[in-house]
Amino acid sequence: MKEKVLKTHKGVIHYWYAKNEDKNANTIFFLHGLTADHSMFEEQIACFKEEHNVLAWDAPAHGKSRPFETFNFEDSSEYIRDIINECSIDKAVFVGQSLGGYFSQSFIKRYPERVKGFVSIDSTPYGHTYYSKLDIWILKRIEWMAMCYPLRWMKRAMAKRVSVSKRAYDNMMQMLSIYEKRELCHLMGLGYAGFLQDNCDLEIPCPVQLIYGEKDKTGKVKDYNREWAKRTHYPLQIINGAAHNANVDNPQAVNDCIRSFLATLQ
């Protein structure tokens, strides 16, 4: 993976690209979750870069893409567009974990012609009717609610909640290690408040695969995914032995699911 940078008026975004020699190869763009970074996709990158073009980023205000003035989903969609343009990519398959699923749907909302397929990993759908008034009330107040907890305890609790395996726990702790309390809480506020502002009833024109870990305890992710699949008839794969960061807890099962999905796009 070759590291590159996209310069924006709010900061610099770091991304990584591995180009395949096959001119007909699919491009897979991996988009990580809130407070994480591209390292959560190490097992997916290693698996798919031999046969596909592979992209991953540290989202605005995450990982190496810091400091960053602020981010919203409209601007972030433009950054994604600029990245794939820089790489001379027409269409990509978007694989979004948690917040990465929101970034993917935000991009589909604005540039549907640039998306060949969408894999959602422990994310939730765009659509007003999925979310109750209580859900919205909580999401709007995440930042100040998080400020009530000691930083060390909060990081450990977050890592424990999104993982089952030691590998996933350690990976999450490493990704969280760079943040001080105010930055971490503000980042969570930006992510969820930004989603609420960008949320809309969305028809996704490309093929979709839904995935979640059987032990995902983050919010109501499991409930949302079951309802998402019920309403849209998108295929839903439940990953055994995995929590919210399912692709880190059980990478082989997630990779197999992505591989099967890619086969349907040929």
Side-chain angles (χ1 to χ4, degrees), residues 62-77:
H62 291 73
K64 294 186 72 174
S65 300
R66 312 165 36 254
F68 206 88
E69 183 179 324
T70 187
F71 77 85
N72 60 55
F73 284 81
E74 182 175 4
D75 287 348
S76 297
S77 293

Side-chain angles (χ1 to χ4, degrees), residues 22 66 77 140 177 187 212-213 257:
D22 182 356
R66 312 165 36 254
S77 293
K140 285 182 176 179
S177 66
L187 187 57
Y212 72 78
C257 186

Side-chain angles (χ1 to χ4, degrees), residues 129-146:
T129 58
Y130 288 99
Y131 303 96
S132 68
K133 291 182 179 179
L134 177 60
D135 296 335
I136 295 169
W137 187 91
I138 292 172
L139 291 175
K140 285 182 176 179
R141 292 160 176 79
I142 285 291
E143 182 171 350
W144 71 258
M145 291 169 68

Side-chain angles (χ1 to χ4, degrees), residues 66 151 155 176-185:
R66 312 165 36 254
L151 179 61
K155 287 182 178 180
L176 289 169
S177 66
I178 61 175
Y179 299 108
E180 295 299 329
K181 184 175 181 178
R182 187 168 297 278
E183 182 183 13
L184 181 62
C185 296

Side-chain angles (χ1 to χ4, degrees), residues 3-6 8 10-16 32-38 57-71 151 155 174-188 190:
E3 184 174 354
K4 299 186 175 186
V5 296
L6 176 73
T8 80
K10 293 183 178 180
V12 173
I13 296 173
H14 289 252
Y15 69 96
W16 290 259
H32 62 77
L34 187 62
T35 73
D37 61 47
H38 77 286
W57 74 346
D58 280 359
H62 291 73
K64 294 186 72 174
S65 300
R66 312 165 36 254
F68 206 88
E69 183 179 324
T70 187
F71 77 85
L151 179 61
K155 287 182 178 180
Q174 179 61 39
M175 293 187 294
L176 289 169
S177 66
I178 61 175
Y179 299 108
E180 295 299 329
K181 184 175 181 178
R182 187 168 297 278
E183 182 183 13
L184 181 62
C185 296
H186 185 53
L187 187 57
M188 288 191 282
L190 286 174

Side-chain angles (χ1 to χ4, degrees), residues 43-62:
E43 293 290 335
Q44 285 68 51
I45 291 168
C47 176
F48 291 103
K49 70 178 182 178
E50 298 303 321
E51 297 182 4
H52 305 274
N53 302 314
V54 173
L55 267 168
W57 74 346
D58 280 359
H62 291 73

